[in-house]
Amino acid sequence: GISVGAQIGGLVPLTAGMEDPHAFQRAVQWKIQLPNHWAVWGEMGLIDVKYRVAETGERVDAPSTTPPAVNFDFEHVQVWQERTHLLLGLEYAFTSKRRRGRPTIGLGYNALGFKPYELHYEFKDFDTDTEIQEEETIERTDGPMHYLASKAGYQWPIGQQVVWDLSLNYRYRLNDNRFTNPNMLGLTTSFSVQF
């Protein structure tokens, strides 16, 4: 059979040096059931990644900038990225009884593409506590960036055709830059209709 559903979730980027890292995922999820407890599992949607860093430059993928006036010092840059999200993998259910709750695990490939995103540079005059913010839009042509995606979850049937899925997810980056492409740990939930 085939199931299609809507998915939402929260993620935490896991990179030292990030301040207030968080991400929100929304996607369409689908599965194609295979014999012997297996399913092809896919997701397509968007992930919003937000964090602050207290430096600029190539290491953190935030172009360097000069303060707007000599009495202002750079404080931090806030990064707001909206990424396209495409995932394909295999899922294994530990029981074939679909009318009962069942634990699952999954492993797959995840590609995150870039959309134009914003950097918010913040400067502060520490004598007067005055703050100034400057914005810059980044348009990247590289990508997509590659991840190994894994999950462990539990599925509960609701009636004859609806399934509620709650999963703990981990995405391990396969590209170098740990700021633009951080490892991510999160919790997602979805409601799917089986056909």
Side-chain angles (χ1 to χ4, degrees), residues 53-65 74 76-77 121:
V53 287
E55 63 179 292
T56 59
E58 187 176 328
R59 189 177 87 87
V60 296
D61 271 349
S64 299
T65 186
F74 171 77
H76 60 255
V77 59
Y121 294 93

Side-chain angles (χ1 to χ4, degrees), residues 6 17-19 22 26 33 40 67 70 80-81 91 93 104-105 110-111 134 139 141 151 157 168 179-182:
M18 285 184 176
E19 301 173 16
H22 57 283
R26 57 218 187 269
Q33 296 297 325
V40 176
V70 293
W80 292 2
Q81 291 182 342
E91 178 185 270
T104 61
I105 57 171
N110 192 189
E134 292 184 352
E139 295 193 27
T141 56
K151 71 171 184 171
L168 181 66
F179 284 91
T180 302
N181 304 291

Side-chain angles (χ1 to χ4, degrees), residues 112-131:
L112 294 185
F114 286 107
K115 298 179 70 178
Y117 62 92
E118 296 179 354
L119 300 179
H120 300 264
Y121 294 93
E122 294 197 12
F123 304 92
K124 186 172 185 177
D125 182 341
F126 289 96
D127 293 331
T128 63
D129 283 339
T130 304
E131 294 184 350

Side-chain angles (χ1 to χ4, degrees), residues 6-7 16 28 37 51 69 119 129 149 160 165 170 177 179 184:
Q7 179 190 70
V28 173
H37 306 237
Y51 58 90
L119 300 179
D129 283 339
Q160 295 294 319
D165 187 311
Y170 183 70
N177 190 293
F179 284 91
M184 290 186 276

Side-chain angles (χ1 to χ4, degrees), residues 5-54:
Q7 179 190 70
I8 60 171
L11 304 165
V12 178
L14 302 173
T15 295
M18 285 184 176
E19 301 173 16
D20 190 28
H22 57 283
F24 178 72
Q25 174 180 327
R26 57 218 187 269
V28 173
Q29 177 180 274
W30 53 268
K31 292 179 188 173
I32 300 173
Q33 296 297 325
L34 301 175
N36 301 323
H37 306 237
W38 290 94
V40 176
W41 147 58
E43 299 173 11
M44 182 173 60
L46 297 171
I47 297 179
D48 294 321
V49 181
K50 297 184 179 181
Y51 58 90
R52 287 193 310 267
V53 287

